[in-house]
Amino acid sequence: MTLDLEALEQAIERDLELLAYPQQEWVADASDETEVLDCAIIGGGQLGLSVAFGLMRERVTNIRIFDAQPEGREGPWVTFARMQTLRTPKVYSGPEHGFANLSFQAWFEAAYGTSAWEEITKIPRTYWMEYLVWFRKTLDLPVQNQSTVTKVVPVTDHLFSLTVETADGVQEVFAKTVLFATGAFGAGDDFTPAVVSDLPRQFWRHSNEEFDHEMLRGKRVGVLGAGASAFDAAATAMETGAVSADICFRRAEFPIQNPRRFLETAGFLGHYPRMPNELKWRCWHHLQEIGQPPPAPTYQRALSSGAVLCPSTPWLSACVTPEGAIEIETEGGTKTYDFLIAATGSDLNLAQRPELAEIAGAVASWGDVYEPPAGLEHSYLASHPYQSQTAQLMEKDPGQAPYLKRVFMLNGASSLSLGPTIHSIAALRYATPLVVSGIVNELFQDVAPNVIDRLVNEVFPEAGLDVLVDQALSPTDVEMERA
């Protein structure tokens, strides 16, 4: 640790002290001897850490974050992510809730120097992971690593049982509220088309998987997809020593629009959740229709490495030849590869997630709530869960699952309801305070009757005022002599 980093951490400690009010504990204790968390957060990446920090600031301290990965490997940054930098400019704020000394820039300059900050234009992904580890440790956030939540079951309308698989065995944990902060792919399973998934497993991987890139050396690689992950995968293959890497996609023309930078304003990011449904639907319907290209540096990296674009090349069928090659039939003819990477994203299906399986059937989708105008129908958008402005899941059948108001979600399924909460770090500063507010509100409703009972039935003297009043009303010596 550098002296500058030590000084920064001391400044953070002072910042937290200066803005600590009110510090009084207020969340009621569990009514029995069983430990009950005020909030269980599933996912220890940037969203989970940011919400946890926000809750701690509101004196909701009996919380725990569960993450399946070992410490320092939460999220995609040093696992299956293959980009060299984050997609967003370096100046964006992130999980720090307005504390400037907790920002990435403050940490980076303290750790590596201001000249190093001037040299970068975007944040290298490994540095972002390093920053998140520091953020967690500096704030002493309660993360339980190598802990996979496999089931969340409502016990009552105000209590949940979580089954947690750890290296030491299976735990049962109880919580009053639950947040699924499970990232871009936390609302379904990886989507792999049958043309790929029907092949023997040694011949393919999904881009969302972590695997040894050395297995690509000396091979002809076919990549299916046209998003950023496809370009990252192709570039990584070529940089590792692949003979070739084709990026195959269905579209005849490559998308070049990226209006997401246009939308990154305080107005849009901060107030999207309050927009009427019809505007939210129009927004995401348009974004789905135009597609999203990779950032220009990602595109350039892939082509500079020797990767080749193959538009109008949907994969129709595939087979393994006796020689061990893969033959792909396309509309333009046969392509031959040694290894395939499916950069085809993920399904959106809550029931596919084991931790959500018990509650998924009760959750309202956009298709249950909103009927779009003729011509704007979209089955993928209709499958998104319909969420409140503070990220709660909603009931499909009103009154049948009231516990859902205590289930919060910030992941790849949340964009239609809440805005680009996953796809832009810039949205963190707006999305996570909303979730914190929602969780705190549910917990406060539990204790509100007791707060008002105490207010009405107890006496709360102003400190020291009783003595002053007694002195003011007591007769002085002079008055006693006159009497």
Side-chain angles (χ1 to χ4, degrees):
M1 180 185 296
T2 67
L3 290 177
D4 285 340
L5 201 53
E6 290 178 353
L8 176 64
E9 291 171 1
Q10 291 172 0
I12 291 168
E13 185 176 359
R14 179 62 172 157
D15 288 344
L16 295 175
E17 290 175 354
L18 291 172
L19 297 176
Y21 180 85
Q23 285 187 293
Q24 183 177 344
E25 300 291 341
W26 61 271
V27 185
D29 294 330
S31 59
D32 58 20
E33 295 181 357
T34 304
E35 180 186 6
V36 178
L37 298 173
D38 292 323
C39 185
I41 299 174
I42 303 171
Q46 58 195 26
L47 289 166
L49 295 178
S50 184
V51 172
F53 175 44
L55 289 174
M56 300 284 277
R57 298 295 302 159
E58 299 298 321
R59 304 307 299 164
V60 179
T61 58
N62 181 26
I63 63 177
R64 195 179 310 163
I65 306 170
F66 300 92
D67 196 276
Q69 292 286 350
E71 182 177 346
R73 294 179 64 80
E74 302 88 351
W77 311 114
V78 294
T79 54
F80 64 84
R82 297 176 180 88
M83 66 279 212
Q84 294 174 323
T85 68
L86 274 59
R87 315 292 187 195
T88 47
K90 66 179 182 179
V91 295
Y92 285 167
S93 57
E96 67 276 356
H97 286 270
F99 285 81
N101 282 324
L102 277 168
S103 66
F104 176 84
Q105 181 175 351
W107 167 80
F108 188 90
E109 290 182 342
Y112 295 102
T114 55
S115 60
W117 172 258
E118 295 299 328
E119 291 172 2
I120 65 172
T121 56
K122 294 186 177 181
I123 299 172
R125 62 176 172 82
T126 55
Y127 283 171
W128 184 252
M129 183 76 256
E130 190 177 341
Y131 161 69
L132 291 176
V133 170
W134 171 83
F135 183 91
R136 162 189 170 174
K137 290 184 176 180
T138 299
L139 296 173
D140 194 24
L141 298 177
V143 183
Q144 181 175 315
N145 284 99
Q146 296 178 281
S147 299
T148 303
V149 177
T150 59
K151 186 182 294 186
V152 176
V153 180
V155 179
T156 69
D157 292 344
H158 296 78
L159 184 67
F160 300 88
S161 168
L162 284 72
T163 302
V164 186
E165 293 184 358
T166 74
D168 298 324
V170 178
Q171 297 177 335
E172 183 178 27
V173 178
F174 294 93
K176 300 173 187 175
T177 61
V178 180
L179 166 64
F180 292 92
T182 42
F185 310 107
D189 203 356
D190 294 338
F191 171 68
T192 307
V195 67
V196 176
S197 63
D198 287 348
L199 296 172
R201 198 66 168 89
Q202 70 264 29
F203 291 104
W204 66 273
R205 291 291 186 273
H206 196 283
S207 61
N208 291 346
E209 293 182 84
E210 182 181 8
F211 60 89
D212 185 359
H213 297 132
E214 281 296 316
M215 65 195 305
L216 306 177
R217 186 177 297 278
K219 294 184 178 179
R220 297 165 293 180
V221 177
V223 180
L224 182 61
S229 64
F231 283 76
D232 289 332
T236 301
M238 294 301 294
E239 291 162 0
T240 305
V243 172
S244 62
D246 288 351
I247 303 172
C248 302
F249 49 94
R250 182 178 291 107
R251 291 176 182 261
E253 297 182 0
F254 193 79
I256 60 172
Q257 287 197 65
N258 187 10
R260 286 161 176 81
R261 297 289 88 84
F262 160 73
L263 296 174
E264 285 174 347
T265 66
F268 183 85
L269 297 176
H271 300 277
Y272 174 96
R274 299 181 180 89
M275 285 203 309
N277 288 345
E278 56 268 26
L279 290 184
K280 292 180 180 180
W281 188 272
R282 282 183 59 198
C283 171
W284 285 96
H285 186 276
H286 178 69
L287 293 176
Q288 288 291 318
E289 289 298 301
I290 66 173
Q292 182 177 10
T298 303
Y299 182 95
Q300 183 62 36
R301 174 194 174 201
L303 268 63
S304 296
S305 72
V308 176
L309 293 184
C310 300
S312 301
T313 311
W315 292 358
L316 305 178
S317 64
C319 66
V320 179
T321 69
E323 296 76 26
I326 308 162
E327 288 188 347
I328 303 287
E329 293 299 324
T330 78
E331 291 179 351
T334 302
K335 289 185 172 292
T336 304
Y337 302 112
D338 303 306
F339 195 85
L340 307 179
I341 299 176
T344 44
S346 61
D347 285 321
L348 202 166
N349 186 340
L350 302 187
Q352 289 181 336
R353 303 292 305 182
E355 68 271 23
L356 286 163
E358 294 285 334
I359 65 175
V363 175
S365 69
W366 270 78
D368 296 322
V369 174
Y370 179 70
E371 183 176 353
L376 293 182
E377 299 89 351
H378 201 290
S379 60
Y380 175 67
L381 294 179
S383 69
H384 283 62
Y386 188 82
Q387 296 180 249
S388 74
Q389 292 181 8
T390 51
Q392 289 136 307
L393 297 177
M394 307 292 281
E395 297 174 273
K396 179 185 295 185
D397 299 311
Q400 298 303 303
Y403 60 83
L404 284 177
K405 67 179 181 177
R406 291 171 172 264
V407 180
F408 298 78
M409 181 173 286
L410 272 183
N411 59 25
S414 302
S415 295
L416 182 52
S417 292
L418 302 175
T421 56
I422 292 296
H423 307 288
S424 171
I425 289 175
L428 275 175
R429 62 176 290 191
Y430 299 103
T432 54
L434 286 176
V435 180
V436 170
S437 174
I439 294 171
V440 171
N441 176 64
E442 290 302 319
L443 295 172
F444 179 71
Q445 298 312 314
D446 291 343
V447 303
N450 183 57
V451 169
I452 303 306
D453 284 345
R454 291 190 60 194
L455 171 68
V456 172
N457 296 315
E458 295 184 26
V459 176
F460 302 93
E462 171 68 19
L465 184 59
D466 53 344
V467 175
L468 295 174
V469 170
D470 286 344
Q471 291 175 346
L473 296 180
S474 297
T476 65
D477 292 342
V478 173
E479 290 172 333
M480 293 183 66
E481 288 178 2
R482 290 175 179 173

